[in-house]
Amino acid sequence: MAENRASEYTEGTPCWVDAQLPDLEAGKRFYGELFGWTFEGRPTGAVRALKDGDPVASLARKTDGRLPTVWTVSFSTPDADGLCARIRAAGGQVVAPPAPLGDLGRTALVTDPEGAVFSLWQPGTATGFGRRHEPGTFAWVQLYARDTEAANTFYGDLFHDALFGEGADPGFGRAPVSEVFAPEMPPHLLVHFAVTELEPALEQVARLGGRTQVPPFETSYGTAAVVTDNQGASFALLRR
């Protein structure tokens, strides 16, 4: 059963994830086999990934080879323009200002003060995840920051109710880069997908041409492992 829709999302709740890939067909094969996703085309040129018929993510072909091959998380907002203004005022940057995607909604690409990239989504007819917190769907996003106190202040001010409000279930944590990665790793947000068991999933990643970047480690929200797909996009697998 689909879990929730964007009308229920508090501003600052992760509501979508998308990957920018050099080879879209290779991406469909990789994630289709790994997570059991099926795909449908979208008017934007991307493909929407479905889990048991419900939307869970999207894949798009990179239009510029200089762009990173990466998974990006989108946070819900009822007012992308207003949130962009608050991000600028708090020391972040607006990389791409809010723009419509047909009647699906409006999207913007932004960074926090340390340069970690994320998107904003103001829903239209596309409301966000149809399923999450189930195997093969979005489970968590973790910010790896240089200064976690500054990150908590930045995101806490922007997304206070989603992170700390009554009944909050944010799906979003913050940790030092050096907790998992080499200290020179840039600050970034790492998308996690749920799996039933880690070891079989890691073996399947390897069979499909990906690799394990960080072997399984314990966190406050489950056991995670960081992997890359067959084109170099990093993400995490999470068992709870």
Side-chain angles (χ1 to χ4, degrees), residues 90-142:
Q93 297 184 15
V94 176
V95 179
L101 286 179
D103 64 352
L104 300 176
R106 301 179 74 230
T107 183
L109 189 68
V110 299
T111 78
D112 69 16
E114 290 193 334
V117 176
F118 58 99
S119 289
L120 310 178
W121 182 251
Q122 180 181 329
T125 58
T127 55
F129 296 123
R131 292 176 181 265
R132 60 178 188 164
H133 306 320
E134 302 175 9
T137 72
F138 171 84
W140 188 263
V141 62
Q142 186 79 348

Side-chain angles (χ1 to χ4, degrees), residues 191-217:
V191 172
H192 293 53
F193 294 102
V195 294
T196 304
E197 295 294 340
L198 272 177
E199 289 304 328
L202 292 172
E203 291 172 3
Q204 191 169 20
V205 166
R207 284 197 299 271
L208 294 170
R211 67 180 181 87
T212 299
Q213 186 176 357
V214 181
F217 59 96

Side-chain angles (χ1 to χ4, degrees), residues 9-87:
Y9 289 150
T10 303
E11 182 172 64
T13 303
C15 66
W16 196 247
V17 289
D18 65 273
Q20 298 286 324
L21 304 172
D23 186 333
L24 192 55
E25 291 303 315
K28 289 165 63 177
R29 289 191 296 271
F30 181 91
Y31 291 102
E33 292 191 41
L34 181 62
F35 294 138
W37 291 353
T38 57
F39 300 92
E40 63 179 15
R42 304 295 289 169
T44 58
V47 295
R48 187 168 69 163
L50 308 176
K51 180 70 174 179
D52 298 329
D54 292 314
V56 294
S58 57
L59 309 180
R61 183 177 292 105
K62 289 198 300 184
T63 56
D64 185 336
R66 296 169 294 181
L67 295 174
T69 300
V70 66
W71 276 98
T72 302
V73 63
S74 293
F75 293 95
S76 184
T77 177
D79 179 6
D81 294 292
L83 185 51
C84 282
R86 289 158 50 205
I87 286 169

